[in-house]
Amino acid sequence: MTQQILLKNAERGGLDIRAYRKSDGYQALEKVLRQYKPLDVIDEIKRSGLRGRGGAGFPTGKKWEMVATHREAERYLVCNAGEHEPGTYKDRRLLRLNPHQLLEGVAIGTYAVGAKETHIFINGAFTDEIALIRQAVEDARKEGFLGQNILGTGFSCDVQIFLGPDTYVAGEETAMLEAMQGRDAKPKHKPPFYPTVYGLYGKPTVVNNVETLSNVPHILFHGADWFRSIGTKTCPGTMLFSIGGDINRPGVYELPLGIPVRRLIEDYGGGIKNGRRLKVVYPGGPSHAFLTLKDIDVPMDFDSLKAIGSGLGSAGVIVLDETNCMVEQTMEFCNFFREESCGQCPPCKMGTRYLHQLLEKIEAGHGKMEDLQSLQQLSGFVKGRGDCTVITGAAVAVECSLRHFPDEFESHIKEHRCTVKVAS
Ligand SMILES: Cc1cc2nc3c(=O)[nH]c(=O)nc-3n(C[C@H](O)[C@H](O)[C@H](O)COP(=O)(O)O)c2cc1C
Protein backbone atom coordinates (compact mmCIF):
# COMPACT_ATOMS: atom_id res chain seq x y z
CA MET A 1 0.00 0.00 0.00
CA THR A 2 2.91 2.38 0.66
CA GLN A 3 3.19 4.58 -2.39
CA GLN A 4 6.35 6.60 -2.49
CA ILE A 5 6.30 9.48 -4.92
CA LEU A 6 7.54 12.50 -3.07
CA LEU A 7 9.79 10.63 -0.67
CA LYS A 8 11.01 8.14 -3.26
CA ASN A 9 14.74 8.22 -3.87
CA ALA A 10 15.23 10.66 -1.05
CA GLU A 11 18.35 9.59 0.73
CA ARG A 12 19.43 10.42 4.22
CA GLY A 13 20.88 13.90 4.27
CA GLY A 14 18.92 14.99 1.21
CA LEU A 15 19.12 14.63 -2.54
CA ASP A 16 21.77 16.88 -4.03
CA ILE A 17 21.40 18.03 -7.61
CA ARG A 18 23.43 15.13 -9.06
CA ALA A 19 21.38 12.50 -7.28
CA TYR A 20 18.18 14.33 -8.17
CA ARG A 21 19.05 14.41 -11.85
CA LYS A 22 19.88 10.70 -11.77
CA SER A 23 16.34 10.03 -10.55
CA ASP A 24 14.85 11.82 -13.62
CA GLY A 25 15.01 15.17 -11.85
CA TYR A 26 14.40 18.31 -13.92
CA GLN A 27 13.18 16.23 -16.87
CA ALA A 28 9.59 17.35 -16.35
CA LEU A 29 10.74 20.98 -16.45
CA GLU A 30 12.63 20.37 -19.69
CA LYS A 31 9.65 18.54 -21.22
CA VAL A 32 7.30 21.35 -20.24
CA LEU A 33 9.52 24.15 -21.51
CA ARG A 34 10.12 22.41 -24.85
CA GLN A 35 6.71 20.88 -25.53
CA TYR A 36 3.97 22.64 -23.55
CA LYS A 37 2.31 26.01 -23.75
CA PRO A 38 1.61 27.46 -20.28
CA LEU A 39 -2.12 26.74 -20.54
CA ASP A 40 -1.38 23.12 -21.52
CA VAL A 41 0.51 22.71 -18.25
CA ILE A 42 -2.49 24.06 -16.38
CA ASP A 43 -4.79 21.67 -18.24
CA GLU A 44 -2.63 18.73 -17.21
CA ILE A 45 -2.65 19.83 -13.56
CA LYS A 46 -6.42 20.32 -13.74
CA ARG A 47 -6.88 16.87 -15.27
CA SER A 48 -4.69 15.33 -12.55
CA GLY A 49 -7.12 16.50 -9.87
CA LEU A 50 -4.25 17.72 -7.64
CA ARG A 51 -5.59 19.52 -4.58
CA GLY A 52 -3.64 21.81 -2.26
CA ARG A 53 -1.84 20.08 0.60
CA GLY A 54 -1.61 23.23 2.78
CA GLY A 55 -4.97 22.74 4.47
CA ALA A 56 -7.94 23.67 2.33
CA GLY A 57 -7.59 21.07 -0.44
CA PHE A 58 -8.34 23.65 -3.13
CA PRO A 59 -7.87 22.38 -6.73
CA THR A 60 -4.41 23.52 -7.82
CA GLY A 61 -5.10 23.68 -11.56
CA LYS A 62 -8.11 25.89 -10.96
CA LYS A 63 -6.04 28.24 -8.79
CA TRP A 64 -3.33 28.47 -11.46
CA GLU A 65 -5.92 29.12 -14.16
CA MET A 66 -7.47 31.97 -12.17
CA VAL A 67 -4.09 33.69 -11.97
CA ALA A 68 -2.86 32.81 -15.48
CA THR A 69 -6.01 34.12 -17.16
CA HIS A 70 -6.29 37.26 -15.04
CA ARG A 71 -6.23 40.41 -17.18
CA GLU A 72 -3.44 41.82 -14.99
CA ALA A 73 -0.15 40.83 -16.60
CA GLU A 74 1.94 41.26 -13.44
CA ARG A 75 1.55 38.03 -11.46
CA TYR A 76 3.42 36.26 -8.70
CA LEU A 77 3.97 32.78 -7.34
CA VAL A 78 4.74 32.14 -3.68
CA CYS A 79 5.50 28.79 -2.12
CA ASN A 80 4.27 28.55 1.47
CA ALA A 81 6.74 26.86 3.83
CA GLY A 82 5.39 28.37 7.07
CA GLU A 83 4.47 25.09 8.79
CA HIS A 84 3.86 26.00 12.43
CA GLU A 85 0.84 23.83 13.23
CA PRO A 86 1.31 21.39 16.12
CA GLY A 87 1.81 17.85 14.85
CA THR A 88 2.74 18.79 11.26
CA TYR A 89 6.30 18.52 10.03
CA LYS A 90 6.02 17.12 6.50
CA ASP A 91 7.07 20.26 4.61
CA ARG A 92 10.30 20.36 6.58
CA ARG A 93 10.84 16.73 5.58
CA LEU A 94 10.39 17.59 1.89
CA LEU A 95 12.69 20.59 2.15
CA ARG A 96 15.34 18.46 3.78
CA LEU A 97 15.06 15.35 1.68
CA ASN A 98 14.29 16.72 -1.73
CA PRO A 99 14.67 20.49 -2.20
CA HIS A 100 15.16 20.17 -5.99
CA GLN A 101 11.81 18.41 -6.38
CA LEU A 102 10.22 21.51 -4.88
CA LEU A 103 12.29 23.89 -7.03
CA GLU A 104 11.32 21.99 -10.17
CA GLY A 105 7.63 22.29 -9.19
CA VAL A 106 8.10 25.97 -8.43
CA ALA A 107 9.73 26.60 -11.83
CA ILE A 108 6.95 24.73 -13.67
CA GLY A 109 4.30 26.70 -11.76
CA THR A 110 6.05 29.97 -12.57
CA TYR A 111 6.05 29.06 -16.27
CA ALA A 112 2.39 27.99 -16.21
CA VAL A 113 1.04 31.16 -14.63
CA GLY A 114 3.55 33.55 -16.21
CA ALA A 115 4.76 34.86 -12.86
CA LYS A 116 7.02 37.88 -12.83
CA GLU A 117 8.62 36.90 -9.53
CA THR A 118 8.84 33.65 -7.62
CA HIS A 119 9.30 33.42 -3.87
CA ILE A 120 9.62 30.75 -1.23
CA PHE A 121 8.28 31.97 2.10
CA ILE A 122 9.96 29.85 4.75
CA ASN A 123 9.54 29.86 8.51
CA GLY A 124 12.61 31.77 9.75
CA ALA A 125 13.16 29.20 12.54
CA PHE A 126 13.93 26.42 10.04
CA THR A 127 17.65 27.17 9.94
CA ASP A 128 18.77 23.84 8.44
CA GLU A 129 16.09 23.85 5.76
CA ILE A 130 16.87 27.49 4.88
CA ALA A 131 20.53 26.58 4.31
CA LEU A 132 19.52 23.54 2.22
CA ILE A 133 17.07 25.38 0.00
CA ARG A 134 19.54 28.22 -0.53
CA GLN A 135 22.19 25.74 -1.59
CA ALA A 136 19.69 24.00 -3.88
CA VAL A 137 18.76 27.31 -5.55
CA GLU A 138 22.44 28.06 -6.11
CA ASP A 139 23.10 24.60 -7.56
CA ALA A 140 20.04 24.77 -9.82
CA ARG A 141 21.20 28.15 -11.11
CA LYS A 142 24.68 26.80 -11.81
CA GLU A 143 23.23 23.88 -13.77
CA GLY A 144 20.90 26.12 -15.74
CA PHE A 145 17.55 24.98 -14.27
CA LEU A 146 16.91 28.35 -12.63
CA GLY A 147 17.95 31.86 -13.65
CA GLN A 148 17.90 33.48 -17.09
CA ASN A 149 17.04 31.68 -20.34
CA ILE A 150 16.60 28.25 -18.75
CA LEU A 151 17.81 25.42 -21.03
CA GLY A 152 18.03 27.95 -23.88
CA THR A 153 14.23 28.20 -24.06
CA GLY A 154 14.01 31.91 -23.31
CA PHE A 155 12.13 31.24 -20.05
CA SER A 156 13.57 32.82 -16.91
CA CYS A 157 12.81 32.05 -13.29
CA ASP A 158 14.75 33.18 -10.26
CA VAL A 159 13.65 32.01 -6.85
CA GLN A 160 13.89 34.36 -3.90
CA ILE A 161 13.85 33.07 -0.34
CA PHE A 162 11.88 35.08 2.20
CA LEU A 163 12.41 34.31 5.89
CA GLY A 164 9.06 34.67 7.63
CA PRO A 165 8.00 34.93 11.28
CA ASP A 166 7.81 31.71 13.29
CA THR A 167 4.11 32.03 14.09
CA TYR A 168 1.07 29.95 13.17
CA VAL A 169 -0.92 32.80 11.63
CA ALA A 170 2.01 33.84 9.40
CA GLY A 171 1.32 30.64 7.40
CA GLU A 172 -2.17 31.84 6.50
CA GLU A 173 -1.76 33.02 2.93
CA THR A 174 -2.94 36.64 3.26
CA ALA A 175 -0.94 37.11 6.49
CA MET A 176 2.08 35.62 4.74
CA LEU A 177 1.75 38.10 1.86
CA GLU A 178 1.45 40.96 4.34
CA ALA A 179 4.68 39.87 6.05
CA MET A 180 6.41 39.70 2.68
CA GLN A 181 5.50 43.34 2.10
CA GLY A 182 7.01 44.45 5.41
CA ARG A 183 3.77 44.59 7.37
CA ASP A 184 2.55 42.62 10.39
CA ALA A 185 1.67 38.99 9.59
CA LYS A 186 -2.07 39.45 10.07
CA PRO A 187 -4.72 37.88 7.83
CA LYS A 188 -6.87 39.99 5.55
CA HIS A 189 -10.56 39.46 5.06
CA LYS A 190 -11.69 37.16 2.24
CA PRO A 191 -13.50 38.42 0.22
CA PRO A 192 -12.13 40.61 -1.27
CA PHE A 193 -8.51 39.75 -0.47
CA TYR A 194 -8.14 36.42 -2.26
CA PRO A 195 -4.49 36.12 -3.31
CA THR A 196 -5.53 34.95 -6.79
CA VAL A 197 -7.00 38.41 -7.31
CA TYR A 198 -5.31 40.65 -4.76
CA GLY A 199 -2.03 39.06 -3.70
CA LEU A 200 1.57 40.22 -3.48
CA TYR A 201 1.76 43.98 -4.23
CA GLY A 202 -1.99 43.83 -4.89
CA LYS A 203 -1.45 41.58 -7.94
CA PRO A 204 -2.81 38.10 -8.76
CA THR A 205 -0.71 35.56 -6.90
CA VAL A 206 -0.58 31.79 -6.72
CA VAL A 207 0.12 30.62 -3.17
CA ASN A 208 0.87 26.93 -2.92
CA ASN A 209 2.12 24.67 -0.20
CA VAL A 210 5.52 22.89 -0.39
CA GLU A 211 3.91 19.46 -0.79
CA THR A 212 1.49 20.68 -3.47
CA LEU A 213 4.31 22.03 -5.62
CA SER A 214 6.49 18.98 -4.99
CA ASN A 215 3.82 16.87 -6.72
CA VAL A 216 3.92 18.95 -9.89
CA PRO A 217 7.06 17.51 -11.58
CA HIS A 218 5.75 13.96 -11.12
CA ILE A 219 2.41 14.81 -12.69
CA LEU A 220 4.04 16.40 -15.71
CA PHE A 221 6.57 13.58 -16.03
CA HIS A 222 4.17 10.63 -15.70
CA GLY A 223 0.93 12.28 -16.81
CA ALA A 224 -2.39 13.15 -15.18
CA ASP A 225 -3.86 9.65 -15.71
CA TRP A 226 -1.04 8.06 -13.73
CA PHE A 227 -1.65 10.51 -10.87
CA ARG A 228 -5.36 9.81 -10.94
CA SER A 229 -4.69 6.10 -10.52
CA ILE A 230 -3.45 6.80 -6.96
CA GLY A 231 -5.67 7.83 -4.06
CA THR A 232 -9.42 8.41 -4.45
CA LYS A 233 -11.52 9.70 -7.33
CA THR A 234 -11.95 13.18 -5.88
CA CYS A 235 -8.65 13.30 -3.96
CA PRO A 236 -5.98 11.72 -6.15
CA GLY A 237 -2.36 11.21 -5.22
CA THR A 238 -0.56 10.59 -1.98
CA MET A 239 -0.42 12.64 1.18
CA LEU A 240 2.38 13.00 3.66
CA PHE A 241 0.74 12.08 6.96
CA SER A 242 2.61 13.37 10.02
CA ILE A 243 1.46 10.93 12.72
CA GLY A 244 2.17 11.64 16.36
CA GLY A 245 0.84 11.28 19.89
CA ASP A 246 0.38 8.01 21.76
CA ILE A 247 1.54 5.64 19.03
CA ASN A 248 4.54 3.35 18.73
CA ARG A 249 6.03 4.71 15.52
CA PRO A 250 5.48 8.44 15.11
CA GLY A 251 6.73 9.85 11.82
CA VAL A 252 5.91 11.10 8.35
CA TYR A 253 4.33 8.46 6.10
CA GLU A 254 3.57 8.95 2.43
CA LEU A 255 0.40 7.02 1.63
CA PRO A 256 -2.42 7.22 -0.90
CA LEU A 257 -5.21 9.59 0.04
CA GLY A 258 -8.22 7.64 1.28
CA ILE A 259 -6.34 5.24 3.54
CA PRO A 260 -8.58 4.42 6.54
CA VAL A 261 -7.61 6.00 9.86
CA ARG A 262 -7.34 2.56 11.42
CA ARG A 263 -4.68 1.42 8.94
CA LEU A 264 -2.74 4.62 9.40
CA ILE A 265 -2.59 4.06 13.16
CA GLU A 266 -2.16 0.30 13.22
CA ASP A 267 -0.13 -0.55 10.11
CA TYR A 268 2.07 2.52 9.94
CA GLY A 269 1.94 4.16 13.39
CA GLY A 270 2.54 0.72 14.96
CA GLY A 271 -0.63 0.87 17.08
CA ILE A 272 -1.29 2.58 20.39
CA LYS A 273 1.58 2.62 22.89
CA ASN A 274 1.63 0.26 25.87
CA GLY A 275 -1.29 -1.79 24.54
CA ARG A 276 -3.76 0.91 25.50
CA ARG A 277 -6.98 1.74 23.70
CA LEU A 278 -7.61 4.62 21.37
CA LYS A 279 -9.56 7.56 22.72
CA VAL A 280 -9.58 10.15 19.94
CA VAL A 281 -7.73 11.05 16.73
CA TYR A 282 -7.34 14.58 15.43
CA PRO A 283 -7.02 13.84 11.68
CA GLY A 284 -6.09 17.36 10.64
CA GLY A 285 -4.35 19.02 13.57
CA PRO A 286 -6.05 20.92 16.40
CA SER A 287 -8.32 22.99 14.10
CA HIS A 288 -10.54 20.10 13.04
CA ALA A 289 -13.01 18.00 14.99
CA PHE A 290 -11.52 14.81 16.43
CA LEU A 291 -12.70 11.31 15.55
CA THR A 292 -13.65 8.62 18.04
CA LEU A 293 -13.58 4.83 17.70
CA LYS A 294 -16.79 4.76 15.70
CA ASP A 295 -15.10 6.73 12.88
CA ILE A 296 -11.98 4.60 12.81
CA ASP A 297 -12.62 3.26 9.31
CA VAL A 298 -13.24 6.62 7.67
CA PRO A 299 -10.98 7.26 4.64
CA MET A 300 -8.37 9.93 5.22
CA ASP A 301 -9.14 12.38 2.44
CA PHE A 302 -10.54 15.91 2.19
CA ASP A 303 -14.09 14.93 1.22
CA SER A 304 -14.67 11.91 3.47
CA LEU A 305 -13.54 13.80 6.56
CA LYS A 306 -15.54 16.88 5.65
CA ALA A 307 -18.62 14.71 5.20
CA ILE A 308 -18.43 13.66 8.86
CA GLY A 309 -17.84 17.20 10.13
CA SER A 310 -14.06 17.07 10.43
CA GLY A 311 -11.23 17.85 8.02
CA LEU A 312 -7.85 16.67 6.76
CA GLY A 313 -6.07 20.04 6.99
CA SER A 314 -2.41 19.39 6.27
CA ALA A 315 -2.66 15.85 7.70
CA GLY A 316 -1.05 16.43 11.07
CA VAL A 317 -2.59 13.36 12.73
CA ILE A 318 -2.61 13.42 16.54
CA VAL A 319 -3.56 10.16 18.26
CA LEU A 320 -4.56 10.08 21.93
CA ASP A 321 -5.02 7.00 24.10
CA GLU A 322 -7.62 6.34 26.77
CA THR A 323 -5.56 7.88 29.60
CA ASN A 324 -5.86 11.41 28.20
CA CYS A 325 -8.11 13.94 29.85
CA MET A 326 -10.15 15.78 27.24
CA VAL A 327 -10.55 18.84 29.43
CA GLU A 328 -6.80 19.17 29.69
CA GLN A 329 -6.26 18.42 26.00
CA THR A 330 -8.85 20.98 24.92
CA MET A 331 -7.33 23.51 27.31
CA GLU A 332 -3.89 22.94 25.77
CA PHE A 333 -5.20 23.45 22.25
CA CYS A 334 -7.07 26.59 23.31
CA ASN A 335 -3.88 27.83 24.91
CA PHE A 336 -2.12 27.31 21.57
CA PHE A 337 -4.82 29.30 19.76
CA ARG A 338 -4.70 32.01 22.45
CA GLU A 339 -0.94 32.35 22.15
CA GLU A 340 -1.05 32.32 18.35
CA SER A 341 -4.01 34.69 17.91
CA CYS A 342 -2.65 37.78 16.17
CA GLY A 343 -5.16 39.85 18.12
CA GLN A 344 -6.65 41.85 15.27
CA CYS A 345 -10.17 40.31 15.38
CA PRO A 346 -11.81 40.94 18.78
CA PRO A 347 -13.82 37.65 18.78
CA CYS A 348 -10.54 35.77 18.38
CA LYS A 349 -8.47 37.85 20.75
CA MET A 350 -11.09 37.72 23.52
CA GLY A 351 -12.65 34.39 22.59
CA THR A 352 -9.45 32.34 22.72
CA ARG A 353 -8.58 33.99 26.04
CA TYR A 354 -11.97 33.33 27.69
CA LEU A 355 -12.26 29.80 26.38
CA HIS A 356 -8.83 29.03 27.75
CA GLN A 357 -9.61 30.69 31.11
CA LEU A 358 -12.82 28.68 31.53
CA LEU A 359 -11.08 25.44 30.66
CA GLU A 360 -8.20 26.21 32.99
CA LYS A 361 -10.66 26.82 35.81
CA ILE A 362 -12.51 23.54 35.17
CA GLU A 363 -9.31 21.55 34.79
CA ALA A 364 -8.02 22.93 38.12
CA GLY A 365 -11.22 21.75 39.83
CA HIS A 366 -12.64 25.24 40.41
CA GLY A 367 -15.34 25.07 37.73
CA LYS A 368 -19.09 25.45 38.17
CA MET A 369 -21.86 23.83 36.15
CA GLU A 370 -22.78 27.18 34.59
CA ASP A 371 -19.24 27.35 33.14
CA LEU A 372 -20.22 24.53 30.78
CA GLN A 373 -23.04 26.64 29.45
CA SER A 374 -20.66 29.59 29.07
CA LEU A 375 -18.23 27.41 27.12
CA GLN A 376 -21.02 26.22 24.85
CA GLN A 377 -22.45 29.69 24.28
CA LEU A 378 -19.10 31.37 23.77
CA SER A 379 -17.84 28.79 21.27
CA GLY A 380 -21.11 28.99 19.35
CA PHE A 381 -20.89 32.78 19.31
CA VAL A 382 -17.29 33.17 18.14
CA LYS A 383 -17.19 30.37 15.58
CA GLY A 384 -16.55 31.69 12.07
CA ARG A 385 -15.98 35.25 13.31
CA GLY A 386 -12.40 35.97 12.34
CA ASP A 387 -10.35 36.77 9.27
CA CYS A 388 -8.78 33.33 9.52
CA THR A 389 -9.62 29.99 11.15
CA VAL A 390 -7.85 30.45 14.51
CA ILE A 391 -10.95 31.28 16.56
CA THR A 392 -13.02 28.69 14.71
CA GLY A 393 -10.38 26.08 15.50
CA ALA A 394 -10.63 26.90 19.22
CA ALA A 395 -14.44 26.84 19.14
CA VAL A 396 -14.55 23.52 17.29
CA ALA A 397 -12.10 21.96 19.77
CA VAL A 398 -14.34 22.99 22.68
CA GLU A 399 -17.64 21.99 21.06
CA CYS A 400 -16.33 18.61 19.99
CA SER A 401 -15.03 17.75 23.49
CA LEU A 402 -18.23 18.92 25.17
CA ARG A 403 -20.34 16.87 22.78
CA HIS A 404 -18.38 13.63 23.08
CA PHE A 405 -17.11 13.79 26.66
CA PRO A 406 -19.61 15.82 28.73
CA ASP A 407 -19.10 13.46 31.69
CA GLU A 408 -15.41 14.39 31.89
CA PHE A 409 -16.24 18.06 32.21
CA GLU A 410 -18.97 17.36 34.76
CA SER A 411 -16.80 15.10 36.89
CA HIS A 412 -14.07 17.75 37.09
CA ILE A 413 -16.68 20.16 38.42
CA LYS A 414 -18.38 17.75 40.82
CA GLU A 415 -15.22 16.25 42.25
CA HIS A 416 -13.08 19.40 42.05
CA ARG A 417 -10.23 17.52 40.39
CA CYS A 418 -9.28 15.63 37.26
CA THR A 419 -10.87 12.20 37.56
CA VAL A 420 -9.67 10.91 34.19
CA LYS A 421 -5.94 10.98 34.80
CA VAL A 422 -6.31 9.76 38.39
CA ALA A 423 -8.36 6.77 37.28
CA SER A 424 -5.93 5.55 34.61
C1 LIG B 1 -3.88 29.87 10.65
C2 LIG B 1 -3.47 29.25 9.34
C3 LIG B 1 -2.15 28.81 9.16
C4 LIG B 1 -1.76 28.26 7.94
N1 LIG B 1 -0.46 27.81 7.80
C5 LIG B 1 -0.08 27.28 6.62
C6 LIG B 1 1.27 26.84 6.43
O1 LIG B 1 2.10 26.91 7.32
N2 LIG B 1 1.60 26.32 5.21
C7 LIG B 1 0.68 26.23 4.18
O2 LIG B 1 1.03 25.79 3.09
N3 LIG B 1 -0.59 26.64 4.34
C8 LIG B 1 -0.98 27.16 5.52
N4 LIG B 1 -2.26 27.62 5.65
C9 LIG B 1 -3.15 27.56 4.46
C10 LIG B 1 -2.84 28.74 3.53
O3 LIG B 1 -3.61 29.86 3.94
C11 LIG B 1 -3.18 28.42 2.06
O4 LIG B 1 -4.48 27.91 1.98
C12 LIG B 1 -2.19 27.42 1.42
O5 LIG B 1 -0.86 27.83 1.57
C13 LIG B 1 -2.52 27.30 -0.06
O6 LIG B 1 -1.71 26.32 -0.67
P1 LIG B 1 -2.33 24.99 -1.29
O7 LIG B 1 -3.48 25.39 -2.18
O8 LIG B 1 -1.20 24.40 -2.04
O9 LIG B 1 -2.79 24.15 -0.15
C14 LIG B 1 -2.70 28.15 6.87
C15 LIG B 1 -4.01 28.61 7.05
C16 LIG B 1 -4.39 29.15 8.27
C17 LIG B 1 -5.82 29.61 8.43
Side-chain angles (χ1 to χ4, degrees), residues 281-291 305 308-311 396-397 400 403-404:
V281 188
Y282 290 84
S287 301
H288 295 281
F290 58 69
L291 313 178
L305 286 165
I308 59 162
S310 184
V396 165
C400 198
R403 185 164 61 249
H404 288 281

Side-chain angles (χ1 to χ4, degrees), residues 51-58 60 63 80-85 91 168-174 190 207-210 212 388-390:
R51 293 171 66 168
R53 306 304 200 228
F58 191 84
T60 307
K63 188 182 276 187
N80 188 346
E83 196 165 68
H84 187 91
E85 188 164 82
D91 291 340
Y168 179 44
V169 169
E172 193 281 334
E173 55 191 2
T174 59
K190 294 189 238 175
V207 175
N208 273 140
N209 171 257
V210 170
T212 314
C388 75
T389 57
V390 167

Side-chain angles (χ1 to χ4, degrees), residues 311-362:
L312 184 59
S314 53
V317 184
I318 303 165
V319 182
L320 300 183
D321 73 24
E322 57 191 330
T323 65
N324 286 274
C325 164
M326 291 313 293
V327 179
E328 185 186 28
Q329 185 59 47
T330 314
M331 179 188 77
E332 277 174 14
F333 280 168
C334 280
N335 192 37
F336 166 76
F337 289 120
R338 180 185 66 84
E339 283 178 347
E340 294 295 334
S341 172
C342 77
Q344 77 172 345
C345 306
C348 180
K349 183 179 177 180
M350 305 309 289
T352 51
R353 197 180 292 174
Y354 287 147
L355 288 173
H356 177 251
Q357 265 174 15
L358 284 164
L359 290 162
E360 208 175 30
K361 188 175 153 195
I362 297 169

Side-chain angles (χ1 to χ4, degrees), residues 37-96:
K37 292 198 183 71
L39 288 180
D40 297 338
V41 180
I42 295 178
D43 273 347
E44 195 67 8
I45 296 296
K46 275 171 75 180
R47 272 199 335 109
S48 76
L50 175 66
R51 293 171 66 168
R53 306 304 200 228
F58 191 84
T60 307
K62 194 168 160 193
K63 188 182 276 187
W64 288 14
E65 188 175 50
M66 286 157 88
V67 171
T69 56
H70 197 286
R71 64 185 183 291
E72 169 63 64
E74 191 180 324
R75 306 169 200 138
Y76 295 88
L77 183 138
V78 182
C79 169
N80 188 346
E83 196 165 68
H84 187 91
E85 188 164 82
T88 311
Y89 38 98
K90 47 105 181 169
D91 291 340
R92 259 158 291 180
R93 184 63 59 91
L94 286 171
L95 286 161
R96 266 174 186 271

Side-chain angles (χ1 to χ4, degrees), residues 56-324:
F58 191 84
T60 307
K62 194 168 160 193
K63 188 182 276 187
W64 288 14
E65 188 175 50
M66 286 157 88
V67 171
T69 56
H70 197 286
R71 64 185 183 291
E72 169 63 64
E74 191 180 324
R75 306 169 200 138
Y76 295 88
L77 183 138
V78 182
C79 169
N80 188 346
E83 196 165 68
H84 187 91
E85 188 164 82
T88 311
Y89 38 98
K90 47 105 181 169
D91 291 340
R92 259 158 291 180
R93 184 63 59 91
L94 286 171
L95 286 161
R96 266 174 186 271
L97 292 183
N98 211 337
H100 286 286
Q101 173 176 257
L102 171 64
L103 292 180
E104 189 175 5
V106 161
I108 294 171
T110 300
Y111 175 73
V113 301
K116 180 185 168 206
E117 281 177 20
T118 310
H119 299 262
I120 296 179
F121 170 97
I122 183 165
N123 184 325
F126 298 168
T127 34
D128 291 351
E129 290 78 6
I130 292 166
L132 279 166
I133 197 75
R134 280 191 168 139
Q135 182 64 51
V137 168
E138 204 180 304
D139 292 345
R141 271 190 199 134
K142 272 193 207 135
E143 303 260 338
F145 297 112
L146 286 181
Q148 298 301 302
N149 191 19
I150 294 171
L151 303 168
T153 60
F155 168 66
S156 301
C157 171
D158 235 331
V159 176
Q160 298 175 46
I161 311 289
F162 182 91
L163 307 193
D166 179 24
T167 65
Y168 179 44
V169 169
E172 193 281 334
E173 55 191 2
T174 59
M176 176 191 81
L177 296 171
E178 286 292 283
M180 291 178 71
Q181 292 168 86
R183 298 192 281 267
D184 287 349
K186 295 186 174 177
K188 292 185 75 96
H189 197 270
K190 294 189 238 175
F193 295 105
Y194 289 107
T196 47
V197 184
Y198 191 96
L200 199 58
Y201 314 121
K203 305 292 179 187
T205 302
V206 163
V207 175
N208 273 140
N209 171 257
V210 170
E211 185 181 347
T212 314
L213 289 165
S214 297
N215 271 290
V216 166
H218 301 281
I219 295 170
L220 272 306
F221 187 77
H222 297 287
D225 293 336
W226 162 83
F227 191 72
R228 279 207 164 274
S229 71
I230 306 157
T232 73
K233 198 161 182 277
T234 58
C235 303
T238 61
M239 187 95 183
L240 264 58
F241 295 96
S242 314
I243 323 178
D246 301 322
I247 50 162
N248 285 311
R249 288 196 299 269
V252 177
Y253 297 91
E254 182 177 10
L255 297 162
L257 276 157
I259 182 168
V261 187
R262 182 197 297 275
R263 293 211 49 207
L264 200 60
I265 296 173
E266 290 175 4
D267 299 357
Y268 298 93
I272 311 285
K273 268 201 280 196
N274 304 319
R276 291 192 173 128
R277 284 190 314 174
L278 174 78
K279 186 162 190 173
V280 301
V281 188
Y282 290 84
S287 301
H288 295 281
F290 58 69
L291 313 178
T292 56
L293 262 178
K294 77 172 179 25
D295 302 313
I296 195 78
D297 291 309
V298 74
M300 291 285 283
D301 64 68
F302 297 109
D303 301 326
S304 305
L305 286 165
K306 192 172 173 204
I308 59 162
S310 184
L312 184 59
S314 53
V317 184
I318 303 165
V319 182
L320 300 183
D321 73 24
E322 57 191 330
T323 65
N324 286 274

